[in-house]
Amino acid sequence: MNAPHPLPVNHHADHRGFSGPLGTALGLYMFLAGRGRARAIADLAAVTPSDHVVDIGCGSGAAVAAAARHGARVTGVEPAPAMLRLARTLVHGKRIRWTPGTAENLPLDDATATIAWAIATIHHWPDVTSGLTEAHRILTPGGRFLAVERATLPHATGLSSHGWTEPQAHSFADQCRAAAFTDVHIDHHDLGRYAIWVVQARRPLN
């Protein structure tokens, strides 16, 4: 009997995204439900007022708000217009910028972010290699990249499958190394209601 083929790290890349009233309602739920996770990630990333944080796939803005509470300048990048409209309504701040864009084509100049993160979005990226190239490009030398996905079981289905198994987390870490990131490591964190995988990496200094 053949072993099942492992899922790619972007196993929901054909996801249609969020739109219309249903998308707005889901975005509001995600904002409310995701605030605790967002605060934990901002603390884990040790965000400071000197940072420029780029949230790749910011959704309705919970993690942008968490980074802004640490005093950072924050750019939220999101492909879904419904999500951006909701984020602009829910989250305000003089150091916050919202912009449409995708992981594969980030609307930022080279070497402008000290921290870039993607929270529960990489499993939706159409092209992981291009997304990692873009994350590397926008980071300053020594800048940090964090990829966060919900920890899932190998045979999960439906919404429970939206995340990574342990092999998927390790596969993504390998892809980070292939994209010229260094200091790549994987952590597993228990947030109470669920657990997450966090892959951290750094753009080299030279």
Side-chain angles (χ1 to χ4, degrees):
M1 181 174 174
N2 293 330
H5 188 75
L7 283 173
V9 298
N10 59 337
H11 54 295
H12 291 296
D14 58 349
H15 179 68
R16 293 184 179 181
F18 299 90
S19 62
L22 179 59
T24 299
L26 287 171
L28 181 58
Y29 169 78
M30 291 165 61
F31 179 85
L32 295 173
R35 289 178 297 179
R37 177 184 61 187
R39 288 192 294 268
I41 292 165
D43 290 342
L44 178 67
V47 176
T48 71
S50 63
D51 282 313
H52 175 204
V53 178
V54 175
D55 187 345
I56 303 170
C58 65
S60 47
V64 169
R69 278 193 290 270
H70 284 250
R73 180 163 63 97
V74 195
T75 300
V77 181
E78 170 60 40
M83 285 291 188
L84 273 181
R85 287 193 296 270
L86 184 59
R88 288 188 175 105
T89 300
L90 294 173
V91 183
H92 305 276
K94 293 181 179 179
R95 306 194 74 198
I96 296 174
R97 173 188 171 224
W98 306 103
T99 182
T102 65
E104 298 83 8
N105 188 19
L106 295 171
L108 290 102
D109 292 334
D110 295 355
T112 54
T114 57
I115 298 173
W117 61 41
I119 302 171
T121 63
I122 291 170
H123 66 276
H124 289 308
W125 288 8
D127 186 337
V128 172
T129 299
S130 295
L132 285 172
T133 298
E134 280 289 270
H136 190 281
R137 177 186 66 79
I138 67 166
L139 283 169
T140 58
R144 292 171 290 142
F145 175 61
L146 288 85
V148 182
E149 289 284 350
R150 183 173 182 164
T152 62
L153 296 174
H155 304 297
T157 60
L159 289 176
S160 296
S161 69
H162 285 230
W164 282 342
T165 62
E166 183 173 0
Q168 286 173 304
H170 282 272
S171 175
F172 183 76
D174 289 339
Q175 291 182 62
C176 288
R177 296 182 185 100
F181 284 97
T182 59
D183 300 330
V184 180
H185 63 276
I186 305 169
D187 294 305
H188 186 268
H189 296 273
D190 188 348
L191 298 185
R193 292 185 298 120
Y194 58 88
I196 58 173
W197 291 108
V198 181
V199 177
Q200 296 195 54
R202 189 178 296 273
R203 176 174 173 173
L205 289 171
N206 49 42

